Amino acid sequence: MTALWIMRVLLSHWMRHRMQLATLLIGLMSATALWSGVQAINQQARTSYDRAASAFGGGNTAMLLPGDDVTVPQSLFATLRRAGWLVSPVLEGRVRIGERSVRLIGIEPLSLPRDAGPAPGLSDAKLLQGFLSPGGQTLIAPRTAADFGWRADQVLTTESGERLPPLQLAPDLLPDLLVADIGFAQTILRQPDRISRFLIDPAPGGERLPLAQVAGSQLRLVEAGSESDLQRLTASFHLNLTAFGLLSFLVGLFIVHSAIGLAFEQRLPMLRTLRACGVSASRLVSVLLAELVMLALIAGVAGLACGYLIASALLPDVAASLRGLYGAAVPGQLVIQPQWWIAGLAMCVAGSLVAAAGALVRVLRLPLLVSAQPYAWQLSQRRWLIGQALLATAILIAALAAFRFGTSLLTAFAVLAGALLGAALLLPVLLNVMLRTGEAMSRGPVALWAWADSRQQLSGLSLALMALLLALAVNVGVGTMVGSFSKTFLRWLDGRLAADIYLVVPDPNRAAGIEAWLRQRPDIDAVLPAARADVRIGGEPVELFGLADHATYRDLWPLLEARANVWDGVRDGRSVLVSEQLGRRLGIKLGDRVRLPTPSGDWIAEVGGLYADYGNPKGQITVNTDQLLQRFVAAGRTRFGLRVKSGAIPEVMRELESTFGLGRRDLADQATVKAESQRIFNRTFAVTSVLNAFTLGVAGVALFTSLLTLGQSRLPQLAPLWALGVTRRRLAVLELCKTMLLALMTALLALPLGIGVAWCLIEVVNVKAFGWRLPLEIFPGELARLLLVAMAAALVATLLPMLKLGRMRPVALLKVFADER
Amino acid sequence: MLKVSRLSKSYGLPQGTLSVLREVNLQVAAGESVALTGESGSGKSTLLHLIAGLDEPDSGEIVLDGKAMSGASEGDRAQMRREKLGLVFQQFNLIPSLKVGDNLSFQARIAGKLDFAWLSELAGRLGLADMLDRYPEQLSGGQQQRVAIGRALAVKPSLVLADEPTGNLDEATADEVVRLARELVARSGCALLMVTHSTRLASLLDRRVHLTAGQLT
């Protein structure tokens, strides 16, 4: 009962200070919304990866995977079963049907382990019979069939002319997936007698021979619960999103901290009275805690609702980025799990408690008989600034140590976080120095007051200014990084997409005819055959990419470093070129020797060069096309780049289409491929831009709410000036100028910090996350634009409190001089 | 020098209209010091605020040095406050972000009437000469009130309005502050109108007027 009464007394404060209550709730809501929105997207994507990985082998099932190659001979199946290994074969690949590329999985249903992922609808005996019938069936999820415009019993034909068994709808199946009997799959994928992996049945069997004895190095065991390739490849992408969500959360907590701090100051007499009336410190703190948790839960639920809306709005872009970058199928529609709600609320409550910790400790230590010292700001500010400077120095030293000794992506983010936090803590110290300088140089009394008063205001506004600094620095940093990446990417595209037309003909016989036709044409300067094959090196999936020996590549290929006469070595098969990220991941340096597993034995070559391969999550090694085709006969001479005489591109494209019936999916001109690459690039960073804007918006709200809440407590400073003859309008203009000056100083300090953030992202985070390093480019126009945006945000945030002051009734100012104050 | 004629002021309250001042008349001559006494809530501070142009009367007239304060625009009232009035409050209302020296000279400087010799004399007479580089928070209550008096007098006003200037001070300090204020007011040739509850302090001034139920006696 006593606690309820105390709670009622405490809540009465919020009833009288509704704007402050709104500030607190807005802060908590913004923090929770952005954090939970990002988490919802991550959760959705991870769930999709888990499902994809567990489809007939992956996270849930132990597997045997090929050692060096991509597939293994089917004969191993019988060998393994005879050796006591209860395995089931799976073949996987992609087929083109019409304009779509779909994942096809071939299974052997009778030996399939029970826990091998989502039931493909084969638990029903009737369905199993249909699946195993001579004509077979192709299972597809109803949603996928509807999306693609296919219907049950339809017979699909692949691009290469193979017919799939009739479609059968299987409700539990994953999206974007076709499942057929492995026999059909081997024919359709043109992989006769080949197996992608063996799933191991966990059912206890008899003794089994050691794997090495059965299959040598052809197979390796992957235990259940291992991270999938997709999870590993996309980890950096999600870590980036999480970092953004966390930053937004922290910026939101700045608002909460500021609102709680102010409420504490204003409630100080009330708390003293309660203590004087016999309420123990522990009781008071527990009721304050209960009040805080209650407010956090209310704001948390609203924040989660906003987070859901944010996630729903961003998910299509994220899904498109993940599909474009990693080929990951993430549904564009959000499915929320109960854990998300619980985690979001827990984060909101925990954040509020952290933000309020200082105020709560002060309540515990509240001296009853000491009166308030309203003007002891000079001394306390000096102590506060020294404390901030010391803490900032300690954090910056820790960040430096993480930079010097850290090796992982997490330490890279720790460097970034430490640099940002240290700089934010140092901000009031630097502003104080700048304001002191201004004060020393000022002439008029009002200007002197404005500088000195700005210094006094620092402690009240510092959190909002720190939030603005962080948001701006991250905006500048990410903007500079994206700009640098974009510029580098365009230059790189010019090198990578050097041919004028790209042509893919899946049938090698048909391709030979087309190549002969192309070589006779006078308007074609060069026909550059290319090829590709997949291998594994050090357990990593690696793409071997074949290039023709031609001046086009010798002149334009984006080499970062190379040995002398590297292209001659590549032509002869003595040298290979390694992509920057693969080199970094496997620790391969120029001059090292690499072993490439091929069907005809190991190919050992020297690393003659390292080249940029931006945006490719997989490792890539570039070799000569002829050398590749000699060793990977099945790869086929099916891809061509064409150098065409100026102005002849449309004509050649038209004739290729009309003469050979090639469509847009087989044929693309350089401009189209570049435009598509740029579109994927832009979409990838669309989410970043939105989160950037949100973070800046939250910082604007932080500044606005701080100014609004400070408005009332500023009256004792402003009223004497009014009484001494400074008009309300002039006071309002002065206040506006002072806040804009502080915002300008903060924004100017944010620019070098932002460039530091960009450097950190490019030199530390990107290198650790993706394996590539970019040249840092500064864009003065973009910096000026951000500066203007920041000043506009500050102006909007300042305007309302200033208008309130300008229009304040004299009676409000007179209250300052009332005896009973 | 100050002429207040038939001054009335009332406030609208939820319970009805509260008439605070009813046709108040008052004159203060140059060099004269007047104590304004009255019960709590009798309207002393309201009268002072109206004379200072901090609030507007419902009716009546306030003329300071031949210029009407009542009815003037906010800008004109601000200018009169800057140039002709010195205000001293119970809570001192110093500017915490400025040092004592800057607080002392503040009003004189914004009025464009800074006289270094006079400022130096004031600082000496008020015992503040060694404290000019300190911040208000580093001073005692009596010292802060002396700064407030110095600030009011630095502009060489026609009239100093003091609202319970000793309300926060002990008796000895209060006596000292009032004596000093009276002396400096006499030295500068301006008038003083001081609100006080204390009959003892009122007796230190030239004249005493009492406000009861919104009217002066």
Side-chain angles (χ1 to χ4, degrees), chain A residues 375-380 382 436 439 442-446 448-449 452-456 716-717 719-730 810-811 814 816-821, chain B residues 11 40 45 49 52-55 74-75 77-79 81-83 87 89-99 102 105-107 109-110 135-138 144 151 163-164 195 197:
Chain A
Y375 291 138
W377 74 275
Q378 182 71 17
L379 189 65
S380 61
R382 193 179 305 132
R436 245 183 204 288
E439 192 180 335
S442 63
R443 291 280 171 265
V446 177
L448 180 72
W449 167 81
D453 192 66
S454 297
R455 272 203 311 124
Q456 194 195 0
Q717 272 84 51
L721 269 87
W722 171 69
L724 296 177
V726 182
T727 59
R728 284 172 294 165
R729 183 179 296 176
R730 193 169 176 210
V811 67
L814 279 175
V816 173
F817 308 116
D819 296 344
E820 293 77 16
R821 189 167 66 91
Chain B
Y11 292 109
S40 289
S45 292
H49 291 158
L54 297 174
D55 204 353
E74 191 188 341
R77 294 206 307 268
Q79 188 184 358
R81 275 203 303 276
R82 275 200 301 272
E83 296 172 359
L87 299 173
F89 301 100
Q90 182 181 350
Q91 303 289 345
F92 325 134
N93 291 109
L94 299 177
I95 298 167
S97 50
L98 295 185
K99 290 177 179 173
D102 293 325
S105 64
F106 188 83
Q107 189 179 349
R109 291 171 76 183
I110 60 171
Y135 282 92
E137 71 193 43
Q138 295 166 312
Q144 287 193 48
R151 178 178 70 185
D163 191 359
E164 297 265 12
V195 169
H197 274 113

Side-chain angles (χ1 to χ4, degrees), chain B:
Chain B
M1 206 276 310
L2 170 70
K3 187 175 179 190
V4 175
S5 315
R6 305 183 64 149
L7 196 69
S8 296
K9 178 73 181 175
S10 56
Y11 292 109
L13 298 175
Q15 304 90 318
T17 304
L18 175 68
S19 195
V20 183
L21 298 175
R22 280 182 283 180
E23 305 218 329
V24 169
N25 295 302
L26 173 69
Q27 285 200 30
V28 181
E32 189 183 18
S33 59
V34 179
L36 175 61
T37 57
E39 300 297 318
S40 289
S42 60
K44 307 183 293 293
S45 292
T46 302
L47 177 58
L48 220 64
H49 291 158
L50 290 172
I51 294 170
L54 297 174
D55 204 353
E56 286 180 278
D58 297 340
S59 62
E61 199 178 36
I62 302 163
V63 178
L64 183 65
D65 270 354
K67 279 187 81 173
M69 175 70 89
S70 48
S73 68
E74 191 188 341
D76 288 343
R77 294 206 307 268
Q79 188 184 358
M80 285 172 76
R81 275 203 303 276
R82 275 200 301 272
E83 296 172 359
K84 294 185 180 297
L85 286 173
L87 299 173
V88 183
F89 301 100
Q90 182 181 350
Q91 303 289 345
F92 325 134
N93 291 109
L94 299 177
I95 298 167
S97 50
L98 295 185
K99 290 177 179 173
V100 168
D102 293 325
N103 262 290
L104 268 181
S105 64
F106 188 83
Q107 189 179 349
R109 291 171 76 183
I110 60 171
K113 291 169 73 176
L114 183 62
D115 178 341
F116 282 108
W118 174 230
L119 196 67
S120 172
E121 184 185 338
L122 275 176
R125 298 281 293 270
L126 289 163
L128 299 170
D130 297 334
M131 302 172 192
L132 299 180
D133 275 336
R134 294 193 198 168
Y135 282 92
E137 71 193 43
Q138 295 166 312
L139 305 185
S140 69
Q143 287 167 334
Q144 287 193 48
Q145 195 55 293
R146 277 189 267 158
V147 178
I149 291 167
R151 178 178 70 185
L153 289 168
V155 75
K156 293 185 183 167
S158 304
L159 173 66
V160 172
L161 296 170
D163 191 359
E164 297 265 12
T166 56
N168 274 345
L169 307 177
D170 62 69
E171 204 168 275
T173 313
D175 283 357
E176 182 207 332
V177 166
V178 171
R179 207 167 281 125
L180 205 55
R182 188 166 183 261
E183 207 179 298
L184 285 168
V185 162
R187 161 86 178 81
S188 66
C190 69
L192 169 68
L193 178 61
M194 182 174 87
V195 169
T196 180
H197 274 113
S198 163
T199 47
R200 185 176 49 76
L201 288 176
S203 68
L204 296 175
L205 304 191
D206 299 336
R207 183 156 66 95
R208 175 184 169 193
V209 288
H210 190 75
L211 196 59
T212 315
Q215 289 191 310
L216 280 178
T217 53

Side-chain angles (χ1 to χ4, degrees), chain A residues 431-579:
Chain A
L431 288 178
N432 189 52
V433 171
M434 290 162 93
L435 291 169
R436 245 183 204 288
T437 312
E439 192 180 335
M441 289 164 64
S442 63
R443 291 280 171 265
V446 177
L448 180 72
W449 167 81
W451 287 104
D453 192 66
S454 297
R455 272 203 311 124
Q456 194 195 0
Q457 251 184 304
L458 258 188
S459 52
L461 277 179
S462 67
L463 277 169
L465 292 173
M466 282 151 99
L468 185 66
L469 178 89
L470 286 181
L472 267 177
V474 170
N475 266 269
V476 170
V478 173
T480 305
M481 189 268 281
V482 173
S484 299
F485 198 179
S486 177
K487 214 168 164 184
T488 311
F489 186 70
L490 289 179
R491 271 201 304 263
W492 172 80
L493 270 185
D494 288 341
R496 278 303 292 254
L497 300 176
D500 301 306
I501 295 176
Y502 290 88
L503 178 64
V504 179
V505 186
D507 181 353
N509 295 327
R510 202 161 155 244
I514 295 174
E515 185 181 356
W517 180 84
L518 287 167
R519 288 193 186 277
Q520 291 169 17
R521 287 186 67 97
D523 51 1
I524 293 180
D525 289 335
V527 178
L528 309 168
R532 61 177 303 281
D534 292 315
V535 293
R536 277 188 176 267
I537 299 177
E540 290 249 355
V542 174
E543 180 190 27
L544 282 188
F545 188 62
L547 282 185
D549 180 36
H550 192 268
T552 303
Y553 300 119
R554 288 183 176 239
D555 296 343
L556 296 171
W557 195 251
L559 284 173
L560 298 170
E561 49 180 325
R563 301 212 128 190
N565 303 322
V566 57
W567 289 102
D568 294 343
V570 172
R571 182 194 55 211
D572 301 340
R574 285 179 285 113
S575 300
V576 295
L577 307 173
V578 175
S579 73

Side-chain angles (χ1 to χ4, degrees), chain A residues 253-447:
Chain A
L253 284 192
F254 275 117
I255 307 178
V256 178
H257 182 82
S258 148
I260 289 176
L262 187 70
F264 173 79
E265 287 299 332
Q266 289 183 344
R267 290 203 285 192
L268 210 54
M270 181 200 281
L271 299 177
R272 278 217 172 84
T273 309
L274 284 169
R275 291 277 283 112
C277 292
V279 178
S280 69
S282 56
R283 167 68 65 92
L284 194 55
V285 167
S286 38
V287 178
L288 277 167
L289 271 174
E291 179 200 36
L292 192 65
V293 170
M294 188 177 75
L295 291 173
L297 287 174
I298 292 169
V301 170
L304 283 171
C306 295
Y308 179 84
L309 294 177
I310 290 172
S312 303
L314 293 181
L315 191 62
D317 269 344
V318 174
S321 298
L322 289 167
R323 185 172 290 123
L325 281 173
Y326 308 104
V330 177
Q333 206 172 6
L334 202 60
V335 180
I336 290 298
Q337 294 171 355
Q339 304 94 291
W340 177 78
W341 289 93
I342 295 164
L345 285 177
M347 194 76 179
C348 181
V349 171
S352 331
L353 292 178
V354 169
L360 291 171
V361 169
R362 286 176 67 189
V363 174
L364 266 176
R365 294 178 179 170
L366 188 69
L368 273 180
L369 297 173
V370 177
S371 62
Q373 296 175 343
Y375 291 138
W377 74 275
Q378 182 71 17
L379 189 65
S380 61
Q381 179 145 311
R382 193 179 305 132
R383 272 202 297 254
W384 167 67
L385 286 174
I386 291 171
Q388 292 263 112
L390 288 175
L391 189 59
T393 311
I395 290 173
L396 289 174
I397 289 172
L400 205 63
F403 172 65
R404 178 74 184 77
F405 303 109
T407 52
S408 69
L409 183 57
L410 263 180
T411 52
F413 272 107
V415 172
L416 198 58
L420 281 170
L421 192 60
L425 287 168
L426 216 50
L427 176 71
V429 183
L430 294 175
L431 288 178
N432 189 52
V433 171
M434 290 162 93
L435 291 169
R436 245 183 204 288
T437 312
E439 192 180 335
M441 289 164 64
S442 63
R443 291 280 171 265
V446 177

